[in-house]
């Protein structure tokens, strides 16, 4: 007889698995709307029984190798303190090769490029998914074709307008709705397979290999569309920290994979019998009475898939900010219980603008599918490369095993990338352009911040030396606590010198605080604070945060209580230096990049908001920095 504790653990696992179905598998779960249709579109692959079986076999083995073996079996093991995603993998790989600085710098650049390209993928995914769902209207009644783009835009605009309210209220419906969607996929597929059971022969790899051997050029071109069936696979790894490995694996093997395979094979079975239905094989599988409910359900599933990607974009943005690759942006927490539920207004509306532009410019899921795939395959390839360095240098596995394990996946990923490279002129340039612009901005910000800190360091005075000279002739002390924020530990904050110059006073208690962000997801309270006494009621404080921690300075400073420091929130003032960047020809970066950095720095969010400082206790003092 099982114990109550066992029942509770099983209930928690079931709840997490259901939630994972809704959040993790929304994107890959909606790919049957357009993936198989695109393989045969534009006469890319002539419709014949042999070709249908060959394509289905390639789809099945792509799902098996890329998702089941690579992501679910291998990549999920490479967790960074329980967290996943490209930035977590990047941090893990860079730490693994930290004793090789040139290799580490190269990996960081590759990883940041992959992160930038992710945002290009983030523009295409909602557009192609929602359009693919709404295009069912044309199957329902051909005269409704002209309403497809307007309806898709209304759905997308409503989705982005609702972001500021968070997903706490509707998030609980994601799992049940996506589960219903996947079960519907399976039922539609089974209904067709029982009428053409010979389609199941495509489960054998022989059909995929024969198709490649007999028509290599056609097979290579087809791979550019077949990869659409695994878009969203990166979400398996990215959402690791939210759900854990077991629920993600249970959801994939227990429901998602079987439902996808059944639906793809169902579409293939129908095409063997009715090749004229190639115009939209997904919706043509449904009986007429079920078409309208199916369109509604598909649209709901598309919205959930888009929501998951938008949420991921917010999370990745926050992580990139804390790793120093993006300027501070205003971040709003939309849930009092779940710290990961955030809203970034700037990212939300930039994404919305780009997605609306994509829908208007391309006009159909078929046209957008030409732009889709290149960003996905770049990220898949980069993840495989990062995995090699993790398992080789962090896990210390033998070189032959690392090459064998990741080499096979790299060959598959690169083949898909090469096939999608053929589509660059047909629309693949769009996500690459977005990724390229963002990569330029991210590297410019990182380089500019480094140059600015170097200039500040050149002019800085060591804090112990400054305090020693200061207290040789002490200034007037006033009651209360002053918290001086400084970018670098041990350097005298400009805000301190300006305060002494203009106000000619020093507080009774002074904390010189440096906030450090590290290449790990989480840093616990036990390692949050480092404290060093400087004498005269002055202390050097270092606050350590991971890239998924919220940098809440007042909350972190509470940990100092009982260590000789007493903080009264109403008698504590926070002093910040607001630097103005002046581009010069000093040789740091090209002048045009320095001007971009100066603009980014000028428009960055307030440091006080980012560090959760009380607005009525902040004193900002300006200074100029030439780079």
């Amino acid at each position: 007889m099982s114990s109550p504790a066992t029942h509770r653990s099983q209930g928690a696992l079931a709840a997490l698995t259901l939630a994972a179905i809704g959040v993790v598998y929304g994107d890959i779960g909606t790919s049957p709307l357009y993936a198989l249709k695109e393989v045969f579109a534009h006469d890319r692959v002539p419709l014949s029984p042999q070709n249908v079986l060959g394509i289905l076999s390639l789809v099945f083995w792509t799902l098996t190798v890329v998702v089941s073996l690579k992501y679910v079996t291998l990549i999920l093991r490479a967790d960074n303190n329980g967290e996943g995603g490209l930035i977590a993998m990047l941090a893990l790989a860079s730490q693994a090769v930290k004793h090789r600085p040139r290799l580490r710098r190269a990996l960081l650049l590759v990883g940041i490029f992959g992160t930038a390209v992710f945002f290009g993928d983030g523009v295409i995914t909602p557009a192609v998914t929602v359009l693919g769902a709404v295009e069912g209207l044309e199957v329902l009644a051909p005269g409704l074709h002209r309403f497809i783009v307007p309806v898709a835009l209304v759905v997308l605009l409503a989705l982005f307008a609702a972001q500021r309210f968070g997903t706490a209220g509707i998030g609980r419906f994601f799992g049940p709705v996506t589960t219903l969607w996947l079960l519907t996929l399976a039922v539609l597929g089974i209904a067709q397979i029982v009428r053409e059971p010979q389609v199941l022969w495509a489960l054998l790899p022989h059909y995929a290999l024969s198709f490649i051997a007999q028509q290599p050029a056609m097979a290579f071109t087809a791979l550019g569309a077949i990869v659409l069936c695994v878009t969203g696979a990166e979400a398996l790894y990215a959402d690791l920290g939210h759900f854990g490995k077991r629920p993600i694996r249970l959801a994939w093997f227990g429901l998602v994979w079987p439902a996808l395979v059944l639906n793809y094979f169902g579409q293939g079975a129908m095409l063997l019998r009715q090749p004229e239905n190639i115009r939209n094989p997904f919706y043509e599988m449904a009986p007429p009475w079920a078409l309208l409910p199916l369109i509604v359900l598909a649209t709901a599933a598309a919205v959930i898939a888009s929501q998951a990607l938008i949420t991921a974009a917010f999370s990745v943005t926050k992580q990139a900010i804390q790793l120093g690759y993006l300027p501070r942006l205003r971040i709003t927490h939309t849930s009092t219980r779940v710290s990961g539920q955030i809203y970034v207004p700037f990212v939300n509306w930039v994404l919305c603008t780009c997605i609306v532009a994509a829908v208007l410019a391309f006009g159909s899921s078929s046209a957008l599918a030409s732009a889709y795939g290149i960003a996905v395959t770049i990220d898949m390839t980069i993840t495989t490369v990062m995995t090699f360095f993790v398992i080789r240098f962090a896990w210390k596995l033998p070189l032959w095993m690392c090459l064998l394990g990741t080499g096979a996946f790299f060959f598959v990923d690169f083949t898909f990338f090469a096939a999608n490279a053929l589509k660059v002129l047909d629309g693949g340039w769009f996500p690459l352009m977005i990724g390229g612009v963002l990569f330029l901005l991210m590297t410019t910000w990182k380089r500019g911040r480094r140059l600015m800190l170097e200039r500040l360091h050149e002019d800085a005075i060591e804090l112990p030396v400054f305090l020693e000279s200061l207290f040789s002739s002490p200034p007037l002390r006033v009651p209360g606590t002053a918290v001086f924020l400084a970018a670098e530990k041990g350097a005298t904050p400009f805000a301190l010198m300006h305060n002494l110059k203009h106000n000619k006073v020093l507080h009774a208690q002074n904390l010189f605080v440096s906030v450090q962000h590290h290449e790990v997801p989480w840093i616990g309270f036990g390692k949050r604070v480092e404290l060093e006494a400087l004498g005269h009621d002055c202390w050097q404080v270092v606050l350590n945060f991971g890239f998924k921690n919220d940098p809440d300075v007042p909350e972190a400073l509470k940990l100092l209580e009982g260590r000789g420091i007493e903080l009264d929130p109403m008698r504590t003032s926070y002093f910040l230096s607001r630097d103005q960047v002046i581009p010069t020809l000093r040789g740091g970066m090209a002048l045009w990049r320095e001007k971009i950095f100066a603009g980014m720095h000028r428009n960055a969010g307030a440091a006080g908001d980012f560090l959760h400082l009380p607005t009525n206790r902040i004193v900002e003092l300006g200074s100029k920095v030439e780079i």
Side-chain angles (χ1 to χ4, degrees):
M1 185 175 179
S2 58
S3 66
T6 303
H7 283 299
R8 283 196 298 271
S9 64
Q10 290 175 346
L13 179 61
L16 277 173
T17 303
L18 180 63
I21 289 171
V23 176
V24 177
Y25 294 110
D27 188 4
I28 198 170
T30 51
S31 56
L33 285 167
Y34 47 81
L36 205 61
K37 176 178 71 172
E38 289 311 310
V39 175
F40 295 100
H42 314 298
D43 294 323
R44 187 179 285 113
V45 176
L47 200 57
S48 69
Q50 202 63 24
N51 286 347
V52 168
L53 292 177
I55 292 297
L56 288 177
S57 189
L58 280 171
V59 167
F60 173 75
W61 287 103
T62 296
L63 287 168
T64 301
V65 173
V66 174
V67 185
S68 298
L69 296 181
K70 177 186 167 182
Y71 281 96
V72 177
T73 305
L74 174 63
I75 302 294
L76 283 184
R77 296 176 184 230
D79 66 289
N80 190 336
N81 293 324
E83 293 294 327
L86 191 53
I87 284 188
M89 176 72 84
L90 168 61
L92 207 60
S94 66
Q95 284 294 309
V97 298
K98 60 184 178 182
H99 56 290
R100 303 184 180 198
R102 293 181 65 181
L103 176 58
R104 183 175 182 273
R105 283 195 297 270
L107 284 179
L108 284 170
L109 278 177
V110 170
I112 291 304
F113 179 69
T115 303
V117 168
F118 164 80
F119 285 93
D121 180 34
V123 170
I124 300 296
T125 297
V128 72
T129 305
V130 172
L131 270 174
V134 176
E135 280 168 355
L137 292 173
E138 190 175 18
V139 179
L140 182 66
L144 296 176
H145 172 78
R146 66 183 184 275
F147 295 107
I148 290 173
V149 170
V151 170
L153 288 176
V154 168
V155 171
L156 287 166
L157 288 172
L159 174 63
F160 280 98
Q163 291 304 308
R164 69 181 187 274
F165 302 112
T167 59
I170 61 173
R172 61 180 179 272
F173 297 110
F174 286 4
V177 171
T178 306
T179 299
L180 177 61
W181 166 252
L182 291 166
L183 291 173
T184 302
L185 293 185
V187 170
L188 289 173
I190 290 170
Q192 299 295 329
I193 292 172
V194 295
R195 301 169 73 179
E196 294 288 338
Q198 67 267 29
V199 76
L200 295 176
W201 285 111
L203 292 171
L204 299 175
H206 161 76
Y207 286 90
L209 296 173
S210 296
F211 180 71
I212 294 171
Q214 293 171 13
Q215 304 174 90
M218 185 187 298
F220 183 72
T221 305
L223 289 177
I226 288 172
V227 76
L228 297 175
C229 75
V230 293
T231 56
E234 282 283 332
L236 285 167
Y237 184 47
D239 289 310
L240 175 60
H242 291 100
F243 304 103
K245 300 171 189 175
R246 195 176 176 197
I248 292 175
R249 286 171 172 159
L250 280 175
W252 174 252
F253 289 114
L255 177 61
V256 183
W257 190 26
L260 290 176
V261 171
L262 286 170
N263 193 266
Y264 284 123
F265 275 64
Q267 291 185 44
M270 181 191 64
L271 291 177
L272 289 177
R273 191 176 64 258
Q274 298 171 286
E276 67 276 8
N277 287 344
I278 189 55
R279 183 175 58 124
N280 199 322
F282 175 79
Y283 280 114
E284 294 288 357
M285 284 197 298
W289 62 265
L291 198 52
L292 185 58
L294 184 61
I295 294 171
V296 173
L297 180 60
T299 304
V303 166
I304 291 171
S306 302
Q307 176 62 62
L309 195 138
I310 294 166
T311 302
F314 293 160
S315 297
V316 169
T317 299
K318 179 188 172 187
Q319 294 170 23
I321 290 170
Q322 295 188 197
L323 284 174
Y325 284 97
L326 284 175
R328 294 182 301 271
L329 298 172
R330 186 163 68 87
I331 297 174
T332 304
H333 288 264
T334 59
S335 173
T336 56
R337 293 184 300 172
V338 184
S339 63
Q341 290 191 11
I342 58 174
Y343 169 60
V344 188
F346 179 79
V347 173
N348 185 68
W349 294 112
V350 168
L351 267 181
C352 180
T353 302
C354 292
I355 288 169
V356 167
V359 171
L360 292 174
F362 290 90
S364 70
S365 64
S366 183
L368 272 165
S370 296
Y372 208 15
I374 186 75
V376 175
T377 52
I378 287 174
D379 278 348
M380 285 166 51
T381 305
I382 288 173
T383 298
T384 301
V385 172
M386 295 289 175
T387 303
F388 169 80
F389 290 99
V390 171
I391 65 176
R392 175 62 181 142
F393 295 102
W395 297 1
K396 309 295 184 183
L397 294 181
L399 179 61
W400 68 268
M401 188 181 294
C402 299
L403 289 172
L404 185 65
T406 59
F409 293 130
F410 179 82
F411 174 77
V412 172
D413 293 337
F414 189 78
T415 302
F416 276 118
F417 166 73
N420 277 276
L422 299 175
K423 302 190 295 182
V424 169
L425 297 179
D426 293 329
W429 57 269
F430 185 69
L432 287 180
M433 178 188 70
I434 294 171
V437 169
L438 189 57
F439 178 70
L440 171 66
L441 294 177
M442 293 174 79
T443 52
T444 298
W445 179 257
K446 185 71 171 180
R447 176 64 176 152
R449 286 286 299 168
R450 186 180 297 117
L451 288 173
M452 193 173 80
L453 291 175
E454 287 173 1
R455 301 294 180 259
L456 290 172
H457 183 73
E458 290 174 3
D459 301 329
I461 303 171
E462 289 187 14
L463 183 57
V465 174
F466 180 82
L467 292 178
E468 183 179 351
S469 64
L470 177 67
F471 287 111
S472 63
S473 178
L476 176 67
R477 306 293 288 263
V478 296
T481 300
V483 177
F484 294 94
L485 276 297
E488 189 176 358
K489 175 186 175 183
T492 304
F494 283 100
L496 170 64
M497 292 189 286
H498 285 303
N499 184 52
L500 289 168
K501 177 181 178 182
H502 296 290
N503 299 322
K504 298 179 174 57
V505 296
L506 189 69
H507 283 70
Q509 187 172 244
N510 296 275
L511 305 180
F512 301 98
V513 177
S514 175
V515 176
Q516 303 291 332
H517 295 284
H518 299 270
E519 294 177 357
V520 294
W522 305 100
I523 291 180
F525 289 123
K527 298 181 179 179
R528 178 63 45 83
V529 179
E530 298 174 22
L531 181 65
E532 178 186 349
L534 301 174
H536 305 283
D537 289 319
C538 297
W539 288 269
Q540 174 76 66
V541 181
V542 177
L543 301 181
N544 299 298
F545 296 95
F547 58 75
K548 297 202 75 172
N549 287 124
D550 277 324
D552 191 327
V553 169
E555 190 68 25
L557 291 178
K558 290 180 182 178
L559 298 172
L560 295 174
E561 294 179 3
R563 299 175 67 176
I565 300 174
E566 299 300 325
L567 294 174
D568 181 354
M570 300 309 297
R571 301 182 67 190
T572 301
S573 299
Y574 297 86
F575 289 81
L576 305 175
S577 176
R578 188 164 185 85
D579 305 310
Q580 180 184 351
V581 176
I582 310 296
T584 65
L585 294 173
R586 294 182 61 171
M589 285 191 295
L591 186 60
W592 61 272
R593 287 188 73 189
E594 290 185 358
K595 289 181 177 179
I596 290 175
F597 173 72
M600 294 172 73
H601 190 271
R602 185 170 55 252
N603 291 287
D609 293 339
F610 183 70
L611 299 174
H612 295 80
L613 305 181
T615 54
N616 60 341
R617 309 298 303 173
I618 296 175
V619 180
E620 283 195 326
L621 299 166
S623 63
K624 292 184 178 181
V625 182
E626 292 185 354
I627 62 170

